[in-house]
Amino acid sequence: MRLQRQEPAERLVKYLEAIRLALGELLEHDPRVFLYGQDIAGTFGGAFKATKGLAERFPTRVLNAPISEDAITGIAIGAAQEGLVPIIEFQFADFASIAFNQLVNHAATMHWRTGQTCPMVARLPVGGTPGGGPFHSQMVEGWLTHHPGLVVVAPSTVADAYFLLKDAATCTDPVVFCEHKYLYYHLAADFDPRRAEHLPMGRAAIRRSGTDCTVVSWSGMVHEALKAAEVLAGEHEIECEVIDLRCLRPLDADTILESVARTGRLVVATESWPFGGVTAEILAVVASEAFQHLDAPPQRLAALDTPIPFHPALFAAHHPDAARIAALVLETVSF
Amino acid sequence: MRTVPVASTVPDELRLAHLRWMILARVIDDRLATLYKQNALAGSAFLGRGQEALSAAGGIYLRPGDIFAPMIRDQAGRLAFGEDPLDVFRTCLGRRTGNTRGRDGNVHRGVHVGDRRQLAFISHLGAMVPATVGALLGKRLKGELRGTDTPVGMVSIGDGGMAAGAAHEGLNAAGIERLPLVVMVANNQLSYSTYNDRSFACRHLVDRAAAYGFTGRTCDGTDADACLATMGLAVAAARRGEGPQMVVAELLRLAGHGEHDDASYVTPELRSRFGDCLPLTERTLKNQGVIDEAGLAKLWDEARQISQRAYEQASSEPEPDPAQEDWCAYSARNLRSGL
Amino acid sequence: MRLPVRLPQFGESAAEATVVAWLAQPGATVTAEQEIVEVQTEKALMTVAAPVAGSLAEHAAEPGTILAVGDVLAWIEAVETPETPRTLGRPPRPAAQAPNKAGQPAGAGGASGGVPSDVHAIGTAPQASLSLDTHRRSSGSRLIRSAGENRKSTGTGRLAERASLRAAAGDAGFVSPRVWSVLQEHGLKVSDLATVPGTGAGGRITARDVEHYVSQGEAMSPVRQAVANAMSRSWSRPLATVARPVRCDALLTHRRTVEGRPSLTIYGMRALALALAKGSPFACRLNGARLLKPSTIDLAVAVEFNDGVLTPVVRRVEQLSLAELTAVVEEVIAKARTGRIADAGDAVASVSNYGVFHITWATPIPLPGQGLILGLGAVRSAPDWNPATKSWDRCREAEVTLTFDHRIADGGAAGRLLHDIVDLLENPEKM
């Protein structure tokens, strides 16, 4: 697909550029903010170029870290205790497992145990791309949402990549910011921060209204859900209500429950694995709190229960796509 | 690696102040041990018996604006850096009035008010090294590490904790950033029941200092004057901007890993190699005429009174009520209503 | 054989690259893996190598052009080799992807949050054949089946299995929680759904079916709704009816002598009250398993009002004369008709004069809380056998019915009560 190049004034903004814009504004307007991560400084500007140009503008506040995800996170926690707002970058979300302890046992518990807040942001490139393989493709919200005290967000749009990052940096709790790496350069929009809609962090967005089935998703999968909704509307006259969670923890259960009360049906789709995780949480909440509104068993669609494959054909079969979402919605509506 | 000679280079007032902290720490630890045996404590009790000389020598050189990340046997250091004995008992007795409000206990407490801050320890050994590094990095970004008399960050760790990946990463980062970090390593010969030969393979833990870009020093951890001299040099060097400092002190843990542990794995041979720093220090100071019997008795008396007062006050304070807890892990108001 | 050289995916998230410089010109012989062109991605300057040996036939893009991953850079006239070009499982992309041109919304739905336009700028990834667009080229049914074939352990195929099993079992009686909720909301029972057509799997009645069903017709007025609820509650008891004809000639003459000219309803009320007061077991209210005997005989009278029936209560009927009763009832009815019901409860029985509608016989339902209702049919001429003259006389006759709650007492008691009532009606001077 060719992304059209337009005149600078009307140029589309890519998802990654929105992140870089937010980081730049944060560095400029909030002296407490600094960036710490591997390869983010100098002219290199990060593995995905998220910080390109920022080190030149703010040389003392965009710092390269060694391959020490535990220390990177621990350092952020310590700096937050000194009143700074560290924004750390993991090169791939898959490496956040090394920082697991500092995230879930130190940052997440800090406020509850001690009354001291831990305002920090951990940026993670999540999600799969063809050929990425098991360690460069993971979605990690399944195990990070489990622990109380972390905020976990996952923007699916260019606007949210900007707004949620800015909100994360002003939140007094530690925020895990899941950026979908495929969307970095494959998603662009006509984005103007002054005009775009800014929903509060913690609130889910209804990306498409509908009456026949509620489809919940987040991150890259939202786009697959919307594609599925288009096909279902055009070919089957089924109107899906597509919800983009935006924030996984805390979970906006109210928006989901209100939608299911309208539609009576639920399909949750994720690129993550099925066991436990956010899809299971949503189904549990809906089954227990919206039982009387359900006209069909609630369903979820997740990746196959194996590590993420390397070969593009295996990779494509491994996770849900618009076709499979549409098929499951069709089944649910036909129940 | 430099070993400091035992002849005292430390002023007498400092030695007496240091002794005072050691005694108070011992009194409080003994009280906690008794409470544990009386089943009056929830959870376990972790004592610093035998390590007071080193720990107090660390804490005594810290001043407002510094950061201390104590570990589980640093009662003496915590007190020396200003922790209120009342908060010790509040936390160990799980009182709602403690700064963890019953949500965490015993050694997981920190000090968060004022400018003599102590980071609240988490159980995963090594994790506090990066946290202290981060606090110092934060100070640097705020412009507080300028000149040749800067704040320092001190982190306490043991021979066991030095094996943790987090410690490695934190020490490495401190060296890369050349921060004024002072790592106080208490090699008390045991990591729970594990002897040194199963904890590290280098000849001496201080060998690691160079590997991380630290200046390393060792001392006899049972010798108060040696601890004071060595820690003093390390802290002063860090303040002058000479980079991160490591002190490895040799001593013996004179308690179980926790009070639930009888330490039956400690051999008589090991026991015979190390003395108890407290009576050793008392004897040295008496012999040198720095303090007499009466003065010593007075210190112990005062310590017991302080400890008893704190214990009684804390005991009279309320415990947490599950029905009054808000049971929410978030601080941000707008996130609290969600799941 | 002419083969395309396509722009590879350089890096996980790369979407495009710019052609920088050609390293081989059209007509040149190239070996397999020879570097033929330099391209610049977001991250780095990379070179693309020929996939096969042959001669470079044609450049497809000049320096400065931006291409998307998978686009054709050049064409190579390949030397015939048994080896096929290596593309590692990526099928050629379908030609001319018309939807999803950047900046053009592909039909936004009516979204409350607004479907962001960036949704439509995302292109199809160079992924395997299960992409949506591939399916679009097949028939609609392929969409479902192939997805089902490929889905293994996500457990979603079982839904279809369950639905089809149900159909096979012929069980259209499955009521989902939502259907149940709708039934509750509208005061329906599952049995009310017997005639509702089910559009769900196996003929299941879906929530949509029920909602459609209940939305048809007009809503009942509150008065009608109240009567409906009362009738539902009343019907849940074991009711039985006994009946007798009553000769009305004496009564019809008698009424002309009484002030106010009492109607048959008044005579019925008076007769019922006096008969109950004689010690009938029906002179009480059933309270669970206990019988509550009131000190006075209070009766309710059914009054038609708008689209419903009101049942005001008249107190101490056994103590009122016919004239008094006439006056009181008139007042009570007038009040009821203006919406002011003074006493709405506590009566022990009711009277229903459906005879005014020319109904000769009916089994009205006792009101909730009451064990008895006296029904008065229309008066009409009937033959009456005169044993003295052994001939048929003409008389004026009406059927009276007594519908009673069989839990309180049985047919014998009902019959005796009815006998007493009829006796009083045929001998009105006793009232």
Side-chain angles (χ1 to χ4, degrees), chain B residues 263-279:
Chain B
S264 50
Y265 41 79
V266 182
T267 62
E269 185 276 330
L270 188 57
R271 269 188 233 279
S272 68
R273 275 201 275 134
F274 294 88
D276 182 343
C277 58
L278 188 46

Side-chain angles (χ1 to χ4, degrees), chain C residues 2 22-30 36 54-62 73-77:
Chain C
R2 218 170 120 99
W22 282 102
L23 305 172
Q25 298 307 319
T29 305
V30 297
I36 58 172
S55 80
L56 187 62
E58 183 189 332
H59 290 169
E62 288 313 308
L73 279 158
W75 294 93
I76 285 188
E77 202 61 60

